[in-house]
Amino acid sequence: MSTGDADPVADTAAQRARAADAAAQQAQAADAAARVIRTERSRILATLIRVTGDVDLAEDATQDAAVRALQAWPRDGVPDNPRGWLLVVARRRAVDVIRRESRRVGKEAEAVALLDPAPDSPKAVRDDLLRLVFTCCHPALSLDAQVALALRTLGGLTTAEVARALVVPEVTMTKRLTRAKQKITRAGIPYRIPAAEELPGRLAGVAATVYLIFNEGYAAGAGDDLIRVGLADEGLRLARLLVELMPDEPTVLGLLALVLLQDSRRSARVGVDCRPLLLAEQDRSRWDRAAIGAGVELVGRGLRRTPDHPDRYVVQAAIAACHALAPSYDRTPWDAVISWYDVLLTVHDTPVVRLNRAAAVAERDGPAAGLALVDTVVGLAGYPWFHATRGELLYRLGRADEAATAYRAALALDLNGPQAARLRDRLAEC
């Protein structure tokens, strides 16, 4: 072969390399598009719900726009104004549906209004999202329905993803979401931001819903995993969204602080054997210091806004900050932790808070002092960590038979797989 001849093997390899590079670039573009869509989806949906007054129509139009974006953006690039692009496409889809439904008399003017390309102001977008938040978390809906709607509409999860996240069959979740939307319509639940006098009570419900989403991811109530990462991430994302929408509200500042401080330990919470690691066992060098710093800063902001009337989430975040800032477990400032629990009891006196305070007392004053307090707590017979805490304190006191009974009581209740395995290990040691 002369030096001027082409090398077919080299040409083929070069073509494969170029094809591989092109595929990689397209995959990166698709990932970038998906991230943008996930960020903007709830804002598009909130605006369309306001304009159309129809949750299902707004969801369908938003989903259609997302599908079109995932087809076009990896090929053409993400537009300079992705939200504007998505909103225009979603509005056009809504217009098509409205015009096609001839039975919706008088909707032609609405269709024309939807075609208005005028951009929404940042305040309008913010208010649309707030309306959606408070509609999803309306007290007329059950807590299960609030959580499901928040994940579906604010989180952008599909119905199947919501069902998996909450560990229920998809058909059950479909019915739950349908009933929730129907109740919003039938009960005339207003799509609005609560009045000033309503806000404290309504905001507590919103925060509880978001924290429940995060907590179910942080420590799953059932299943084979200790941490359900997707659910924990959604709770964190929704907490950030609330602070973005209400940056001066102590409740949302405390909620995000609490979530950040707890989540900062994520990578250190599971051992090599997949067993959960307690605080005393965790490698603190693996904690996320950036998240801890952000959480502590938020605690400070929350405390400055509540000098006379403590907020339960800010106080819980202050307790988490005591743990996060301790250089080691044996240097945890238990006096400060117990003092913060005393403050928390003034605004949120529940059996679980009393149990947690008793556990802190046990670390400071010994297992006998802690057990004495645990045994005064009532109303937690169905809570596995009440029995597990008793078991641990009884074990430390050398009362192995009683500890074993307590561990068995905990194992008879709902736990995820790794938590149950950890308790079975402790039971075997009794």
Side-chain angles (χ1 to χ4, degrees):
M1 180 182 295
S2 69
T3 56
D5 291 335
D7 184 345
V9 175
D11 286 347
T12 300
Q15 290 169 359
R16 288 176 178 170
R18 286 194 294 271
D21 287 344
Q25 291 173 2
Q26 189 167 24
Q28 290 175 353
D31 288 344
R35 287 194 297 272
V36 171
I37 291 166
R38 187 63 171 269
T39 300
E40 298 294 347
R41 180 192 177 280
S42 58
R43 292 169 170 80
I44 303 297
L45 178 62
T47 296
L48 285 181
I49 291 175
R50 168 176 54 85
V51 175
T52 66
D54 187 323
V55 175
D56 287 330
L57 173 59
E59 284 187 335
D60 288 345
T62 302
Q63 181 61 28
D64 184 74
V67 170
R68 291 172 184 264
L70 287 173
Q71 292 170 343
W73 292 0
R75 181 188 65 241
D76 304 331
V78 177
D80 293 337
N81 181 6
R83 182 180 182 279
W85 191 102
L86 287 164
L87 185 56
V88 168
V89 173
R91 285 187 174 194
R92 287 174 178 167
R93 170 62 175 166
V95 167
D96 290 342
V97 172
I98 291 171
R99 285 177 169 165
R100 188 167 62 246
E101 295 180 359
S102 57
R103 68 181 182 276
R104 296 179 64 165
V105 179
K107 290 293 183 178
E108 187 67 20
E110 180 181 297
V112 172
L114 276 171
L115 283 172
D116 180 8
D120 294 300
S121 69
K123 183 180 184 303
V125 174
R126 170 185 173 276
D127 288 351
D128 285 343
L129 271 171
L130 279 172
R131 292 184 186 100
L132 184 55
V133 166
F134 284 104
T135 301
C136 289
C137 302
H138 196 279
L141 301 173
S142 69
L143 185 56
D144 285 347
Q146 290 179 36
V147 170
L149 269 180
L151 288 173
R152 178 73 185 92
T153 59
L154 293 166
L157 275 65
T158 65
T159 300
E161 288 171 334
V162 176
R164 285 196 297 272
L166 300 180
V167 199
V168 298
E170 185 175 350
V171 64
T172 301
M173 183 53 61
T174 299
K175 292 177 181 177
R176 184 178 298 174
L177 287 166
T178 299
R179 286 195 299 268
K181 293 174 188 175
Q182 289 173 344
K183 185 164 188 177
I184 289 172
T185 301
R186 286 198 306 268
I189 292 175
Y191 183 65
R192 65 175 177 82
I193 302 168
E197 63 272 15
E198 301 175 283
L199 190 58
R202 292 288 305 279
L203 186 55
V206 170
T209 297
V210 173
Y211 188 56
L212 181 62
I213 291 169
F214 169 78
N215 209 41
E216 182 60 28
Y218 179 78
D224 296 330
D225 299 318
L226 174 68
I227 303 169
R228 291 152 71 183
V229 173
L231 212 51
D233 286 345
E234 278 308 310
L236 180 56
R237 195 182 70 81
L238 292 174
R240 290 186 189 278
L241 174 63
L242 291 180
V243 170
E244 177 186 334
L245 296 174
M246 294 175 279
D248 297 319
E249 284 293 337
T251 292
V252 299
L253 294 173
L255 173 64
L256 179 56
L258 178 60
V259 167
L260 282 169
L261 290 165
Q262 290 182 333
D263 195 59
S264 70
R265 303 193 292 267
R266 183 190 298 190
S267 65
R269 292 181 60 223
V270 181
V272 292
D273 57 356
C274 296
R275 296 290 200 270
L277 297 177
L278 303 180
L279 270 177
E281 304 165 330
Q282 292 175 18
D283 178 358
R284 298 188 176 214
S285 69
R286 299 181 63 194
W287 289 2
D288 185 341
R289 292 295 157 186
I292 291 172
V296 169
E297 191 273 334
L298 286 164
V299 171
R301 287 169 58 186
L303 289 173
R304 287 192 293 273
R305 286 168 171 77
T306 54
D308 302 317
H309 302 285
D311 176 87
R312 57 176 281 200
Y313 289 101
V314 175
V315 176
Q316 288 178 87
I319 295 169
C322 290
H323 292 292
L325 295 175
S328 62
Y329 189 76
D330 59 4
R331 294 174 64 187
T332 301
W334 293 112
D335 284 342
V337 170
I338 293 166
S339 293
W340 280 119
Y341 272 121
D342 290 338
V343 175
L344 183 58
L345 285 170
T346 67
V347 292
H348 190 58
D349 188 349
T350 70
V352 171
V353 173
R354 290 187 173 274
L355 176 65
N356 291 339
R357 183 185 182 279
V361 169
E363 296 300 321
R364 186 188 68 179
D365 300 337
L371 182 62
L373 289 174
V374 168
D375 285 341
T376 67
V377 179
V378 296
L380 293 180
Y383 186 60
W385 301 113
F386 170 75
H387 302 287
T389 301
R390 287 194 78 250
E392 181 64 25
L393 297 178
L394 287 164
Y395 181 83
R396 293 183 190 180
L397 289 168
R399 296 158 63 177
D401 290 344
E402 294 173 87
T405 299
Y407 283 133
R408 290 190 189 99
L411 285 165
L413 300 170
D414 289 335
L415 292 164
N416 61 50
Q419 289 170 336
R422 169 94 190 198
L423 289 185
R424 283 193 293 269
D425 290 343
R426 296 298 279 165
L427 177 59
E429 295 171 6
C430 291

